[in-house]
Amino acid sequence: MSEESLLDYFREDFALFIEAGFVAVKQLDEIAARRLFKSAELLHPDNPASQLGLGYIALHKLQVNEAAKIFEGILNKDKEHYLAQALLGICYMMTKDKIKKGEKLVLDAKSKSDNPTIKNLADVCMEWASNDLKKRDFSPLAAPAKADDGQED
């Protein structure tokens, strides 16, 4: 069996590879997720879903710059990929000097997309931005305030 006929045999399973990759990310199995997304990329190299998955892995690992590059690459090929745009907005929102740009991208994706999942993602992002990112004292590295346990020292 040639390599091309072997790939043809699995092409109809492309969506399963992508879905399984996102499940693996959710289960914190980066190795399996990468293998699944790369396998999907072999089946359909021009489909951005595999790159989206790899960017999602980077975002989960808080490798914001790497994730942003991946999502920017997707948007360079398809300006109307609103999920990539929303995820790029999240990356920017996690970068101190690009928060406003990130919010703009997320809101733009929400207004242009008809997809309810993207609209919900945008709503959650904007709630996160207003509740956490815009607080003056917010710092993800700050130690939480000690609770008064009622005991005197």
Side-chain angles (χ1 to χ4, degrees):
M1 188 180 261
S2 72
E3 182 179 331
E4 193 58 35
S5 63
L6 185 61
L7 289 175
D8 286 339
Y9 182 76
F10 288 104
R11 282 197 210 289
E12 66 185 40
D13 295 328
F14 173 79
L16 295 174
F17 281 100
I18 295 297
E19 186 66 29
F22 282 105
V23 169
V25 172
K26 190 168 182 117
Q27 293 177 341
L28 305 178
D29 189 349
E30 180 187 354
I31 294 170
R34 280 192 188 281
R35 288 178 180 166
L36 288 160
F37 291 134
K38 286 296 191 178
S39 297
E41 188 173 41
L42 280 174
L43 297 174
H44 289 288
D46 295 332
N47 192 311
S50 55
Q51 286 300 304
L52 192 73
L54 294 172
Y56 192 68
I57 291 171
L59 187 57
H60 268 256
K61 292 175 66 179
L62 297 178
Q63 295 172 336
V64 178
N65 292 333
E66 180 182 338
K69 286 179 188 174
I70 293 170
F71 298 135
E72 287 167 350
I74 293 170
L75 288 171
N76 286 337
K77 294 177 185 173
D78 180 5
K79 301 281 186 220
E80 295 181 358
H81 198 297
Y82 299 120
L83 181 55
Q85 182 178 336
L87 292 171
L88 178 60
I90 293 170
C91 292
Y92 287 169
M93 289 168 72
M94 296 173 77
T95 307
K96 188 175 184 175
D97 58 337
K98 295 183 180 179
I99 293 173
K100 293 286 184 201
K101 184 177 181 180
E103 289 176 359
K104 185 177 183 286
L105 281 173
V106 168
L107 290 173
D108 187 51
K110 178 184 178 182
S111 68
K112 291 181 179 177
S113 176
D114 295 331
N115 187 324
T117 302
I118 293 173
K119 290 183 180 293
N120 184 53
L121 175 63
D123 290 338
V124 170
C125 287
M126 296 316 295
E127 182 179 337
W128 170 59
S130 65
N131 290 343
D132 294 327
L133 292 180
K134 291 185 180 177
K135 289 185 179 176
R136 193 173 356 164
D137 297 332
F138 175 75
S139 171
L141 302 176
K146 291 185 179 181
D148 185 17
D149 58 6
Q151 296 179 356
E152 293 184 27
D153 293 329

